[in-house]
Each structure stands twice: as structure tokens, then as C-alpha cells.
Amino acid sequence: DQYLTLPSDSLRKAFLTHGDSAYSYQRRYQQLSSLGNNDRIVLNRIADVQARIEVAYGRAFALTDLGRPDEARAAAEQARAPATTLTEDVQRLSDSQSKSALLGQQELQQETQQRRTILWLLFSGALAFGLGTVVVVIGPAVNVNTAALRFRLLLGQADMGQFGIGVGDPG
């Protein structure tokens, strides 16, 4: 609307740049694989409304350049109603994407919890296996060691008292 009262090249360029930027965002949104059909419909409606607004303002700018300010204001006024629709559609798309992001976050949290549970189960299983292995290995090792010491005692080469086995203990 500033252009209608004070036309300038910088305002015209800014208008074009903002329009191009909006279309760039729309193209990027269209490429999202997670975008649902309803969101695509809203996005297409946004593009349509934006085009109508740009045409109305382009006409208003041209009329301003031709020195017809009353007609220019009337043409710009035609862009206001679609602008409200555009704002509502952008808000609708934003809300839908927020809901999708929240659902994605919840799914990731559930998956993280499942993986944490699996890791704890694996850790517990590994710990139980390790402790079982220690018991299975240490028991016979102690028996072998005790037998070896007794054998040495029989040969008279060791004092078994230091190991808690009495001299002459047949066992």
C-alpha cells in the first residue's frame, strides 16, 4: 500500500522479492514427503490466493504509475479480502504442520523408550551371563587349585594351613 502513496523502485523490488520468496517456500513445502493431501490442498489454495493478490497489487501499481490514484486504491482494495483468506490458510497449514511435528516427536519418544528398554534387557542378560560364567569357571578352578595344593602337600612341598586346609585333612 505504501507504493500507492509514494511509488519507488525499492518498494516495487521489495514486493517482487517477497512474492518470489513466498513461492520458493511453497515449492519447498510441496516437496515434503510428509505433507498430507489436505495440507497440499491448502498449499495450492495459498498459491492461488497469492497469485490473485499479486495481480491486484500489480494492477494497482500500474494504475499508480499511470497517475490514476483512485483506480489504484480500488484495485488494491480488491487484494484485501484474499489477503485475509491467505492469512487464514497459512495459519491452517502452520497448525497442521505443528500437529504433524508433535505426532512425530511422540513417535520418536516411544521408539527411544523401546530402545532403552531393549538395551537394559541386553545389559541385564550380558551381566547375568557374565556372572554365571564366573561362577561356572571359578568353582572348578578353586577345586583344581585345592587339589593341586593337596597334591603338593602330599609330596611335602607346601604348607596347606595358609589356605585354610588342615594338614592331614583327607578331603
Side-chain angles (χ1 to χ4, degrees), residues 52-70:
R52 286 187 291 159
I53 291 170
E54 286 182 355
V55 167
Y57 273 116
R59 186 168 176 263
F61 290 175
L63 290 167
T64 298
D65 292 341
L66 293 172
R68 297 163 51 183
D70 292 336

Side-chain angles (χ1 to χ4, degrees), residues 31-111:
Q31 294 173 353
L32 291 176
S33 61
S34 63
L35 198 63
N37 287 337
N38 289 338
D39 288 345
R40 290 187 190 282
I41 290 169
V42 171
L43 193 57
N44 289 335
R45 193 169 46 231
I46 288 171
D48 178 57
V49 171
Q50 180 183 350
R52 286 187 291 159
I53 291 170
E54 286 182 355
V55 167
Y57 273 116
R59 186 168 176 263
F61 290 175
L63 290 167
T64 298
D65 292 341
L66 293 172
R68 297 163 51 183
D70 292 336
E71 291 176 62
R73 279 192 294 279
E77 192 61 39
Q78 291 177 352
R80 284 187 177 58
T84 302
T85 301
L86 179 66
T87 303
E88 291 168 354
D89 284 342
V90 168
Q91 184 62 48
R92 191 174 297 117
L93 183 61
S94 175
D95 291 346
S96 175
Q97 289 299 295
S98 293
K99 287 178 187 174
S100 293
L102 183 61
L103 288 173
Q105 177 190 11
Q106 290 170 345
E107 288 173 5
L108 284 174
Q109 286 175 335
Q110 288 174 348
E111 190 174 317

Side-chain angles (χ1 to χ4, degrees), residues 15 37-38 43 106 113 116 119 122 144:
F15 178 76
N37 287 337
N38 289 338
L43 193 57
Q106 290 170 345
Q113 183 59 41
R116 184 179 295 127
L119 283 174
L122 288 173
V144 168

Side-chain angles (χ1 to χ4, degrees), residues 144-166:
V144 168
N145 188 34
T146 302
L149 290 174
R150 285 184 183 155
F151 180 72
R152 289 177 75 191
L153 179 63
L154 290 174
L155 297 175
Q157 298 176 354
D159 178 10
M160 295 302 286
Q162 65 182 347
F163 301 105
I165 301 173

Side-chain angles (χ1 to χ4, degrees), residues 14-30 43-44 46-51 53-54 86 90 93:
F15 178 76
L16 294 173
T17 300
H18 291 300
D20 289 344
S21 175
Y23 284 120
S24 174
Y25 281 117
Q26 289 171 24
R27 279 191 298 276
R28 287 173 36 197
Y29 255 107
Q30 285 287 5
L43 193 57
N44 289 335
I46 288 171
D48 178 57
V49 171
Q50 180 183 350
I53 291 170
E54 286 182 355
L86 179 66
V90 168
L93 183 61

